[in-house]
Amino acid sequence: MTRGVLSATVVILVALAMGIAPAVHADPSNDGHDPYFNEDRYAAFYTPPDPLPAGAPGDLIRTEPSRLVLEPSGQLGAIVATGTRIMYRSTDARGNPMAVTGTYFEPDNNWPGQGPRPLIVYGPGTQGQGDQCAPSRQFNQGIHWSPWVDLMFNYEELFVATMVARGFAVVMTDYQGLGTPGVHSYLNSVSEGNAMIDAGRAAMRLPDTSLDPHGPVAFWGYSQGGGAAASAAELAPSYGPDLHVVGTYAGAPPANLKEMLPYLDGSALAGVIGYTLNSFIATYPELEEVIRAALTPRGVDLLAKVQDQCIPETILKFMFRHLQPYFNDDIKEVVDQEPFKTLFDMQRIGRRKPNAPVLILINRYDPVVPWTVANQLGRDWCAQGTDVQFWTNEEPPFLNKLVVNHALPMLVDGERALQWVADRFNGLPTTPNCGSF
């Protein structure tokens, strides 16, 4: 649900308009000899020890150096940082310990601001649900591709490269089940928020970095990442009180999933409903039978297929589909019935008060996350006394079913968000606007 979605959509639609299939081929180096393109190469690191070693949330389980490239050859530009792949302990939505992977970026450049080097805990946007889509793998490859349209662009590298060049340390989580065994808990607010908080803890505990273990931290994310960052912001007072959180940037946060369904219908991103239902089943397996009973054979087939896909493949194969054919009954009624009513309600964000300022940013005509959802999140937090700055991007609607107004604001307002975060690290006054949005 980010700029990578837009790029992938444009490539696919241009190819289709020309009457050809997208030219996706296996990388010639993906023959088992180049370790960065051989998925088996990742098995040893990404398979957690069983049982998990004793420890606390945020404890490191294992680490290894991580190659950082902007494209497969590694010759065209560089991320001016040293990468470390990490596996750390966290807590899932049921309160059980889990292993999560991610990447820590130690900048080559000094931090030019005030105080110790700050840490940005980065929640990635929608990658997909297959293990090959994990951001910590994508930073090794730049672009992942293999036969049958298994394609992924590492679109998160653009902001990470900028952040480390400016002296920010960054740690990016893969979230639960992305890269590691199991199903990715897509848009599960608790597991994603916990994974963000514990990524921050893990980075602070990583040896031989320039971080102060008690230094300042900010959460950052857009779309799926915006929801993860928002969840981390409100979970931090209770789950991560040891982190010195100074602010959170939550761009286009999906704070109310139920309100998004009409927007996904017929959209390039219609297939992500499969990610969400797979996440529900993986987190609450006792509800699998009733969830599957609500689906038509097409709906069951959707869940099976998207579970191993990255977002470009999901777009290609399920774009512009209507959601109703995936459900046996009227979808408007289904979401108000159990267990869906409770499942969607459990993912709501805005019921707890963050302990640091928050910037919420969204386009007024966002075709994926309704403006009203992000606005209500801001109002909910303001009502609890949170320091909130709410910013509306007024880019007019354009090709809404291609989710342009969801993807472009991340780029257009990215500098605004990064400056806001830098101001928090430098201790500058905030400019909350509760009561005026």
Side-chain angles (χ1 to χ4, degrees), residues 236-254:
S238 57
Y239 183 75
D242 49 304
L243 287 184
H244 178 201
V245 181
V246 298
T248 295
Y249 162 57

Side-chain angles (χ1 to χ4, degrees), residues 7-354:
S7 301
T9 302
V10 171
V11 170
I12 290 166
L13 290 180
V14 169
L16 291 176
M18 295 173 63
I20 59 175
V24 179
H25 304 287
D27 177 17
S29 66
N30 190 1
D31 59 2
H33 298 294
D34 186 333
Y36 296 107
F37 289 91
N38 182 354
E39 287 301 314
D40 292 341
R41 177 254 185 236
Y42 295 105
F45 187 91
Y46 286 84
T47 302
D50 185 17
L52 289 179
D59 280 356
L60 291 160
I61 298 173
R62 60 173 66 119
T63 67
E64 68 177 15
S66 180
R67 178 194 196 218
L68 301 177
V69 298
L70 299 178
E71 44 73 41
S73 75
Q75 302 301 309
L76 303 179
I79 297 175
V80 289
T82 300
T84 301
R85 194 187 332 270
I86 61 174
M87 176 182 283
Y88 60 93
R89 286 180 64 102
S90 189
T91 309
D92 69 16
R94 307 295 290 265
N96 301 311
M98 63 177 178
V100 179
T101 52
T103 306
Y104 171 73
F105 303 84
E106 172 70 21
D108 293 346
N109 297 338
N110 293 327
W111 164 241
Q114 299 182 14
R117 187 190 298 278
L119 174 68
I120 294 177
V121 181
Y122 196 125
T126 298
Q127 309 292 307
Q129 207 154 41
D131 287 340
Q132 74 276 19
C133 320
S136 63
R137 300 190 187 192
Q138 293 302 312
F139 279 101
N140 294 171
Q141 303 173 16
I143 300 173
H144 164 88
W145 70 94
S146 62
W148 311 113
V149 203
D150 178 14
L151 173 68
M152 188 60 200
F153 309 102
N154 184 14
Y155 59 84
E156 300 295 359
E157 68 190 15
L158 300 178
F159 270 107
V160 171
T162 299
M163 290 170 174
V164 296
R166 297 184 185 183
F168 299 96
V170 179
V171 62
M172 182 182 293
T173 181
D174 291 333
Y175 305 126
Q176 179 184 11
L178 198 57
T180 50
V183 176
H184 171 39
S185 57
Y186 184 71
L187 298 184
N188 185 294
S189 61
V190 174
S191 71
E192 290 186 350
N194 288 350
M196 291 276 285
I197 293 169
D198 290 326
R201 287 168 160 158
M204 291 298 188
R205 297 170 190 175
L206 193 64
D208 302 320
T209 73
S210 59
L211 291 175
D212 179 331
H214 305 291
V217 173
F219 300 120
W220 171 288
Y222 189 92
S223 193
Q224 178 187 3
S231 179
E234 66 175 29
L235 290 173
S238 57
Y239 183 75
D242 49 304
L243 287 184
H244 178 201
V245 181
V246 298
T248 295
Y249 162 57
N256 186 338
L257 303 188
K258 178 182 172 182
E259 298 298 319
M260 294 171 56
L261 292 178
Y263 288 69
L264 291 175
D265 188 63
S267 161
L269 290 175
V272 302
I273 186 64
Y275 298 164
T276 305
L277 295 179
N278 280 331
S279 174
F280 285 161
I281 291 172
T283 306
Y284 309 101
E286 67 272 19
L287 299 177
E288 178 174 5
E289 184 176 347
V290 65
I291 291 174
R292 291 187 180 277
L295 303 176
T296 63
R298 285 183 62 183
V300 173
D301 181 65
L302 168 71
L303 268 57
K305 288 178 176 175
V306 301
Q307 183 171 316
D308 298 314
Q309 293 177 356
C310 297
I311 188 62
E313 183 177 2
T314 301
I315 292 174
L316 175 65
K317 295 182 176 178
F318 295 98
M319 60 183 175
F320 310 139
R321 303 288 181 89
H322 290 292
L323 301 184
Q324 184 56 61
Y326 298 129
F327 293 86
N328 289 315
D329 298 321
D330 188 332
I331 190 172
K332 295 179 182 178
E333 298 178 359
V334 169
V335 296
D336 286 325
Q337 298 171 356
E338 298 297 350
F340 297 99
K341 180 179 179 180
T342 296
L343 288 172
F344 281 116
D345 187 64
M346 289 170 66
Q347 311 316 317
R348 282 284 301 273
I349 307 172
R351 291 170 173 157
R352 304 176 181 90
K353 179 185 175 182

